[in-house]
Amino acid sequence: MASKSIFFSCASVPLIWFASFTYGLDPQPNASETKQAISEKKILSVPDQAEASFKDVETSAIDFVKAHHPELVTLLQLLKSMKETEYEAAIREINKTQKRLELFRNRDKEHYSIELETWKTQSKIDLLMARAIASGKELNASDLRKLIKRQSELQQKRLRHEQSVLADRQKNLKETLDKIEAEAEERVEQQLLLLTKRVKAKVDKEKALKAQSEPKQARDSKAK
């Protein structure tokens, strides 16, 4: 039954991968695991599928899975030995997820942390379901409940974070607007003075060039 379970799970990997990687990103592990994931340097440079060779993409994707959901590595290896085309598709989906997460990391580390934990939890749910189907046994309701609960917690955490970011943005906008309104007249006068000086400088320059050219034109005329 064990070998049957592994085989079935492996054959189901594309479904697991495409479900989890196109999901949008949901769930998590514990605090120490989160800290390790955030400091993980292996995903700092994610190969671009259009530019990198598949080998580079594969190496990066496998490192990512080893760091964040090592249980899936074995399934990927089995998939590679049985269905190479589906394996390559799964690897490229992982690469897309890495690139999406990298954008979050660069813009907002808190958002990145939430999205990474979301992906990890969804991936664990997919694996739990695949194993239950493969073994023909009922799902472990306790484990599944914990993962689903974690998904909900992460969704709430994401929304609270987005709310906080929006509040900060609104605060900064209000401060900027208040400053512009308070200095409106002064800014108008400054801009007027600046443009006036710019025009005057241009006019003075043109007059100077004209004055320099007139004596030369007079000399040339006399020489003729």
Side-chain angles (χ1 to χ4, degrees):
M1 180 60 73
S3 60
K4 178 183 177 183
S5 174
I6 293 176
F7 180 84
F8 188 96
S9 297
C10 182
S12 304
V13 166
L15 179 60
I16 296 172
W17 286 114
F18 285 104
S20 60
F21 288 107
T22 60
Y23 178 77
L25 309 175
D26 248 310
Q28 91 135 40
N30 56 47
S32 61
E33 206 175 359
T34 301
K35 184 176 181 181
Q36 177 184 357
I38 295 175
S39 63
E40 176 60 52
K41 295 182 179 180
K42 291 182 179 179
I43 66 171
L44 283 176
S45 180
V46 181
D48 189 303
Q49 296 188 62
E51 300 177 0
S53 67
F54 177 71
K55 185 63 179 177
D56 292 335
V57 172
E58 180 184 33
T59 299
S60 178
I62 293 298
D63 285 344
F64 176 82
V65 175
K66 285 180 179 178
H68 303 300
H69 196 183
E71 290 178 284
L72 292 179
V73 176
T74 300
L75 298 183
L76 281 171
Q77 291 172 341
L78 289 173
L79 182 64
K80 183 178 183 179
S81 67
M82 296 189 307
K83 296 187 177 182
E84 190 170 346
T85 300
E86 292 182 9
Y87 169 76
E88 182 173 336
I91 289 296
R92 293 195 180 280
E93 283 301 316
I94 297 171
N95 181 247
K96 288 180 182 178
T97 295
Q98 289 179 277
K99 290 165 69 63
R100 182 166 60 251
L101 284 170
E102 194 65 17
L103 291 176
F104 291 135
R105 176 199 281 272
N106 293 336
R107 292 197 304 253
D108 185 336
K109 284 185 167 52
E110 176 66 15
H111 192 180
Y112 163 79
S113 170
I114 295 170
E115 296 298 343
L116 177 60
E117 295 307 315
T118 291
W119 171 80
K120 290 166 71 173
T121 304
Q122 181 61 45
S123 186
K124 290 177 181 180
I125 289 174
D126 291 333
L127 184 58
L128 189 65
M129 293 173 63
R131 284 177 171 171
I133 294 171
S135 64
K137 298 179 180 179
E138 292 185 2
L139 275 169
N140 184 320
S142 177
D143 289 346
L144 184 58
R145 181 179 290 105
K146 290 178 182 177
L147 290 170
I148 294 173
K149 181 179 179 181
R150 183 54 183 167
Q151 278 188 324
S152 177
E153 292 171 349
L154 283 166
Q155 183 180 30
Q156 294 171 49
K157 187 175 182 180
R158 181 195 294 118
L159 292 173
R160 283 195 296 270
H161 176 67
E162 291 176 359
Q163 186 179 49
S164 175
V165 171
L166 181 59
D168 289 341
R169 170 71 172 157
Q170 290 178 325
K171 179 182 177 182
N172 291 336
L173 284 173
K174 185 178 185 306
E175 290 176 352
T176 301
L177 178 59
D178 289 345
K179 183 177 181 181
I180 290 176
E181 289 176 341
E183 300 173 354
E185 290 300 323
E186 183 181 350
R187 286 171 179 264
V188 169
E189 294 303 320
Q190 288 178 345
Q191 186 71 357
L192 176 62
L193 181 61
L194 176 64
L195 295 178
T196 301
K197 286 183 176 180
R198 186 178 299 173
V199 171
K200 185 177 184 304
K202 184 68 175 178
V203 171
D204 290 345
K205 183 178 180 180
E206 291 295 331
K207 286 182 178 180
L209 290 174
K210 185 177 180 181
Q212 291 176 3
S213 65
E214 286 178 349
K216 183 176 183 302
Q217 290 175 353
R219 289 195 300 271
D220 292 342
S221 178
K222 288 180 180 180
K224 292 179 180 179

